Amino acid sequence: MTVKEKIIRHLITMDDLTNEEIMTIIEEAKSFKEVLTRDIKKVPALRGKTVVLLFFESSTRTKISFELAAKRLSADVVNFSASTSSLKKSESLKDTVRTIEAMAADIFVMRHSYPGSTQLVAKYIKGSVLNGGDGAHSHPTQALLDMYTIYEKKKRFKDLKVAIIGDIKHSRVVRSDIEGLTRMGANVVLCGPSTLLPRYIEQFNVGVTYNVEEAIKDADVVMGLRIQFERQEQGLFPSVLEYSQFFQINRPRLKKAKPDVLLMHPGPINRGVELESEVADSVYSVIDEQVTNGVAVRMSLLYFLAGGKDEQVTD
Amino acid sequence: MSKLLIKNGKAVDPSAGMNKNFDILIENGIIKKLSKSISRISKTTKVIDAKNCIVTPGLIDVHTHLRDPGYEDKEDIFSGTAAAAKGGFTTIMCMPNTDPVLDNVSGIRYVFDKSSKAPVKVFPVGAISKKLEGKELAEIGRMAQEGIKAISDDGQCIQSSILMRNAVEYIKMFNLVLIEHAEDTALSGDGQINEGYISTKLGLPGIPSLSESFIVARDILLSEYFDTPIHFAHISSRKSLELIKNAKKRKVKVTCEVTPHHLIFNEEYLQTFDPNFKMKPPLGSESDRKALESSFKDGTIDILATDHAPHRIDEKEREFSLAPFGVVGLETALSAMISFFINTKKMTWLELVERMSVKPAEIFGLEGGSLLEGAPADITIINPSGKWVVTEDNLVGKSKNSPFLNMELTGTVKFTIANGQVVYGQI
């Protein structure tokens, strides 16, 4: 007799997926996106499975996106929210997740403000762990939805110039985007103030410039990243006005990109800071589509992790 | 009185340039006789056969955290000294970051009193500033009268240059060494690991090596200005070594130590967020590690020290950024050095023993570091080819946060003898 045994898969960083698997998830997401346009936006793929949303850091879009994705696959969804500050004093992360798992959860989606926390949880539990963002470390589902959005419009990754502009240092999105996009042959160029570009970033197979026009020139994709005001308090740049003068993605600058450039942003946007408001609403902007695609990609990923495509048989 | 005879061992004593077979007779806690061959003198003399073993002056670790008083859940004076004895150490110095802080006479007396019943000799290091707050000087002179050899605000590097000036100037009156944990805390900030490729990849806040070398530079200037000895704890970066090397050329009274983990591991080990590689200063780049290795060999780095820093397993199991800094080291230091330095021919036994016994004694004015007749009978007997795997079960200290966990190391301690008493090993 053969025993059917599911291989437990985690998604902590983009390195956990092969290029083929990334393409599979993107391809599958297309059909899930179609589901989202139906009157009855629900398929039974995850019926009987329990997805736990463990959010130790506040989140609106990622949490809603995962929740909708899981519900549209007919999974039972449980929410757990706690602030990281209360975690310092209360029950340990290990005990929290073990307790929840003891109530028979299958997939954990986790957001945490400290890097490495998802990896830690993966050590303690038997189910799948899906990283919904851990500090400045990794945010693979954002990268997958960014890649889906790019692929849908451009039909390729190879040789696309993708300019990512803003606070590179504190961005988990950018780390996952770099991992995913460079592997697929895209040319990623990073741009931001020198204090918001981490040291050694040039070793990540990317171009680096402090000149926003040079970054945008002939780009196929321009992505803005959120500038957090607290970084100014930390002395990393002198003022929001100076930041936007040097780095804001505005109409004249965007003109230097390819005519069919895609403007992306993982949200939430600071209008008038990293993006000129008019640009955010321009024809180039696919920011709203990114959000829609996020649900489809997360459905595809949950389906994939629950064994939809990867059921392994061991003899 | 009890007599002990160590026979057939290879005696290594760099203080006398000795590296050959000698028998050693111990009487009344003193090395009574050292000779090519000593036959049994009386029936009551106990004999240790040290065939195929290396016999060295007892190892000395000038940088441990015994966590006693206040954190006995992590370690205490007895468990920590048991770990020391198992690791071949006969004398250790323990840091004052306890609760209450060892910043006054009663704290120092507490450690001396409690450790008088411990297997190895313990010298508490007094705090430089009251409560390690970096504001006012502690009663350094009164602690010196109690017998401390050094002062340090280890872990809480004094940022105020005027307080440091006063401390360095003040200890001129006493025969004390100031031990510096060099860290500019504004630069290290909320940093978790070395600022480098790995910190950028993992999205962890980095600690730039600048943080250490800033303070090293400051302290070299202070030491030179006041002609006062400063010893740098756990040096970790290439830049700091350059500064120290230069200062030594100018005959500035600075010395420094390195830990086994900084000599052996680099920041790559943090790729999996393993908290047992999280310490301060953080593991550096491979370039830093190589610089440490060559400076350890050429003597720029004077001594080895463990920075034995016990933490409970559940503290280390927290989110990486919440896990405390520090790793244990007393039980693995010697084996690690044999495995990674002696067996790889990077270092000779004479060189290693000099850095683990002779020089530590010399820098801090401690007894020991010698096998010559008349020296206190502090002796370590080592089986250089004994293999063991480091596991939580075979560490005797209370905490198990070792970066060497699950590694096989070569070299075991067969006997540790302190003041003529066998404190580790079965006769």
Side-chain angles (χ1 to χ4, degrees):
Chain A
M1 280 293 286
T2 59
V3 182
K4 211 175 175 192
E5 194 182 294
K6 205 178 79 209
I7 305 292
I8 297 299
R9 293 286 305 261
H10 306 298
L11 178 61
I12 313 289
T13 70
M14 289 298 279
D15 281 344
D16 293 325
L17 297 172
T18 64
N19 288 3
E20 292 70 36
E21 286 170 335
I22 290 173
M23 289 316 295
T24 304
I25 291 163
I26 288 176
E27 292 293 341
E28 287 291 323
K30 230 187 276 179
S31 49
F32 285 114
K33 192 174 178 182
E34 185 271 320
V35 172
L36 297 179
T37 63
R38 294 181 197 166
D39 264 359
I40 296 171
K41 301 175 179 61
K42 202 155 186 159
V43 289
L46 256 63
R47 201 165 55 191
K49 301 271 184 198
T50 305
V51 174
V52 181
L53 305 178
L54 284 170
F55 278 66
F56 297 101
E57 184 188 68
S58 62
S59 155
T60 321
R61 63 197 62 219
T62 304
K63 192 172 175 187
I64 293 175
S65 180
F66 264 114
E67 184 160 358
L68 284 173
K71 284 182 168 164
R72 285 171 176 170
L73 292 169
S74 308
D76 295 319
V77 179
V78 179
N79 272 289
F80 175 92
S81 299
S83 73
T84 309
S85 58
S86 74
L87 266 186
K88 278 185 194 172
K89 286 175 189 166
S90 66
E91 191 180 37
S92 74
L93 185 58
K94 179 180 176 177
D95 290 332
T96 303
V97 296
R98 281 203 172 155
T99 302
I100 294 170
E101 180 167 57
M103 299 182 223
D106 302 295
I107 297 177
F108 289 83
V109 176
M110 186 169 145
R111 157 78 54 104
H112 202 295
S113 52
Y114 291 127
S117 302
T118 333
Q119 214 147 334
L120 187 67
V121 165
K123 276 204 280 189
Y124 296 136
I125 63 169
K126 299 183 200 80
S128 286
V129 180
L130 235 159
N131 192 351
D134 61 329
H137 177 219
S138 171
H139 194 0
T141 59
Q142 179 71 40
L144 286 170
L145 78 87
D146 288 344
M147 290 175 78
Y148 178 91
T149 307
I150 293 170
Y151 194 76
E152 190 180 44
K153 306 283 181 192
K154 304 286 180 192
K155 314 290 180 215
R156 67 185 168 104
F157 295 109
K158 191 152 177 45
D159 300 328
L160 290 181
K161 181 179 178 184
V162 181
I164 307 179
I165 299 157
D167 182 355
I168 307 295
K169 188 174 185 167
H170 303 93
S171 172
R172 50 185 162 225
V173 175
V174 82
R175 284 169 176 79
S176 290
D177 275 336
I178 291 172
E179 270 182 49
L181 288 168
T182 55
R183 274 164 55 186
M184 295 297 190
N187 299 318
V188 176
V189 176
L190 306 177
C191 178
S194 43
T195 44
L196 292 178
L197 280 161
R199 280 164 70 79
Y200 307 97
I201 191 71
E202 66 288 346
Q203 290 176 27
F204 288 74
N205 197 19
V206 293
V208 178
T209 174
Y210 305 132
N211 182 328
V212 72
E213 274 145 30
E214 188 186 312
I216 294 177
K217 189 170 186 294
D218 297 326
D220 299 281
V221 177
V222 172
M223 188 187 296
L225 296 176
R226 179 179 171 79
I227 291 297
Q228 286 178 290
F229 294 98
E230 68 197 66
R231 306 298 175 210
Q232 187 193 328
E233 288 156 26
Q234 289 164 7
L236 294 171
F237 58 89
S239 73
V240 168
L241 183 66
E242 178 158 321
Y243 175 85
S244 34
Q245 203 176 316
F246 280 85
F247 295 102
Q248 186 183 74
I249 303 166
N250 56 23
R251 285 164 291 178
R253 283 172 178 157
L254 202 56
K255 282 217 172 72
K256 309 217 181 261
K258 293 233 177 94
D260 59 346
V261 66
L262 301 181
L263 177 71
M264 300 174 68
H265 193 295
I269 304 170
N270 289 313
R271 285 180 185 260
V273 184
E274 67 266 9
L275 293 188
E276 189 187 28
S277 195
E278 289 83 346
V279 156
D281 299 327
S282 69
V283 292
Y284 307 110
S285 171
V286 291
I287 297 169
D288 291 341
E289 270 180 81
Q290 282 177 273
V291 179
T292 309
N293 294 342
V295 180
V297 164
R298 288 177 175 117
M299 287 172 79
S300 175
L301 182 68
L302 285 167
Y303 179 65
F304 178 83
L305 280 184
K309 276 284 162 196
D310 203 45
E311 204 97 289
Q312 304 266 339
V313 177
T314 41
D315 294 300
Chain B
M1 282 298 281
S2 69
K3 290 181 190 177
L4 189 62
L5 177 61
I6 303 166
K7 279 194 74 71
N8 309 318
K10 188 181 197 186
V12 176
D13 180 358
S15 74
M18 181 204 308
N19 185 18
K20 58 178 168 187
N21 279 34
F22 273 104
D23 290 354
I24 298 167
L25 179 70
I26 297 166
E27 219 179 287
N28 299 329
I30 301 288
I31 295 177
K32 179 85 176 170
K33 199 172 169 193
L34 176 79
S35 169
K36 284 220 168 96
S37 179
I38 306 171
S39 42
R40 184 181 289 234
I41 315 182
S42 71
K43 276 183 185 164
T44 56
T45 305
K46 285 183 183 163
V47 180
I48 288 176
D49 183 6
K51 196 159 182 252
N52 299 323
C53 288
I54 307 276
V55 180
T56 74
L59 306 180
I60 297 172
D61 186 3
V62 302
H63 195 146
T64 72
H65 296 269
L66 295 181
R67 305 292 188 216
D68 190 351
Y71 305 104
E72 292 95 329
D73 50 337
K74 298 173 192 253
E75 195 81 283
D76 63 36
I77 287 173
F78 294 119
S79 66
T81 49
K86 179 162 176 269
F89 294 97
T90 54
T91 300
I92 60 176
M93 305 210 310
C94 63
M95 287 297 171
N97 58 340
T98 49
D99 184 17
V101 169
L102 305 181
D103 60 359
N104 58 43
V105 168
S106 63
I108 298 300
R109 278 191 188 157
Y110 168 82
V111 175
F112 274 127
D113 285 352
K114 190 165 175 184
S115 64
S116 65
K117 295 177 211 83
V120 310
K121 297 173 211 176
V122 178
F123 286 87
V125 174
I128 303 172
S129 72
K130 290 191 181 108
K131 296 184 181 169
L132 301 177
E133 284 175 344
K135 290 178 187 155
E136 289 174 69
L137 289 181
E139 290 179 342
I140 295 166
R142 297 183 68 207
M143 292 192 288
Q145 285 179 327
E146 294 299 314
I148 64 166
K149 303 290 184 186
I151 54 168
S152 180
D153 272 10
D154 184 47
Q156 306 285 328
C157 180
I158 292 174
Q159 304 298 299
S160 153
S161 32
I162 184 62
L163 183 66
M164 266 307 278
R165 179 216 150 113
N166 292 344
V168 172
E169 195 169 19
Y170 191 70
I171 61 168
K172 282 175 76 74
M173 293 189 282
F174 311 103
N175 204 9
L176 291 174
V177 179
L178 188 147
I179 302 176
E180 180 68 292
H181 161 118
E183 177 184 357
D184 182 308
T185 54
L187 284 172
S188 57
D190 60 352
Q192 299 293 321
I193 66 173
N194 182 47
E195 178 173 276
Y197 175 82
I198 303 293
S199 68
T200 292
K201 183 169 183 207
L202 300 183
L204 284 169
I207 299 173
S209 61
L210 275 179
S211 160
E212 177 182 89
S213 33
F214 260 48
I215 300 295
V216 168
R218 174 192 81 174
D219 287 6
I220 285 170
L221 294 171
L222 283 168
S223 168
E224 191 167 23
Y225 194 82
F226 292 107
D227 195 32
T228 302
I230 294 183
H231 174 79
F232 293 108
H234 45 52
I235 282 299
S236 69
S237 75
R238 184 179 279 274
K239 266 289 163 221
S240 302
L241 288 168
E242 278 175 29
L243 294 165
I244 291 167
K245 194 168 201 162
N246 243 304
K248 285 187 164 188
K249 270 191 206 144
R250 300 199 306 275
K251 308 276 179 226
V252 182
K253 286 182 181 164
V254 288
T255 53
C256 67
E257 71 193 29
V258 66
T259 70
H261 45 269
H262 287 104
L263 278 172
I264 292 165
F265 304 117
N266 61 27
E267 59 189 344
E268 303 275 331
Y269 285 82
L270 286 149
Q271 297 251 27
T272 58
F273 292 95
D274 185 339
N276 286 336
F277 292 91
K278 178 182 176 180
M279 73 283 293
K280 271 193 179 176
L283 294 173
S285 65
E286 177 60 9
S287 154
D288 289 318
R289 194 199 64 77
K290 283 198 175 129
L292 291 170
E293 204 176 274
S294 60
S295 301
F296 189 51
K297 173 83 180 170
D298 73 22
T300 304
I301 297 175
D302 301 86
I303 61 172
L304 189 84
T306 66
D307 194 7
H308 180 79
H311 292 293
R312 294 194 326 257
I313 193 156
D314 52 297
E315 296 174 303
K316 278 289 196 182
E317 274 181 345
R318 305 223 74 161
E319 292 88 330
F320 188 87
S321 301
L322 299 180
F325 293 93
V327 299
V328 293
L330 280 167
E331 297 175 64
T332 49
L334 176 65
S335 306
M337 294 313 291
I338 294 172
S339 305
F340 290 93
F341 281 79
I342 298 286
N343 289 349
T344 55
K345 308 246 183 283
K346 284 178 183 161
M347 199 167 241
T348 65
W349 272 104
L350 276 168
E351 288 168 332
L352 182 64
V353 174
E354 174 166 64
R355 287 154 183 71
M356 291 186 77
S357 178
V358 179
K359 280 274 189 76
E362 199 179 291
I363 293 170
F364 293 96
L366 297 161
E367 281 192 327
S370 169
L371 289 179
L372 297 182
E373 289 171 8
D378 292 345
I379 296 172
T380 306
I381 302 175
I382 302 155
N383 172 3
S385 56
K387 291 189 189 303
W388 65 297
V389 177
V390 183
T391 63
E392 291 181 9
D393 287 341
N394 59 24
L395 292 175
V396 302
K398 278 187 189 175
S399 295
K400 316 294 177 183
N401 50 314
S402 167
F404 294 98
L405 276 185
N406 304 318
M407 282 178 71
E408 187 185 69
L409 298 177
T410 305
T412 52
V413 173
K414 233 175 145 183
F415 294 97
T416 305
I417 298 163
N419 279 334
Q421 302 296 315
V422 174
V423 293
Y424 176 78
Q426 295 294 322
I427 299 190

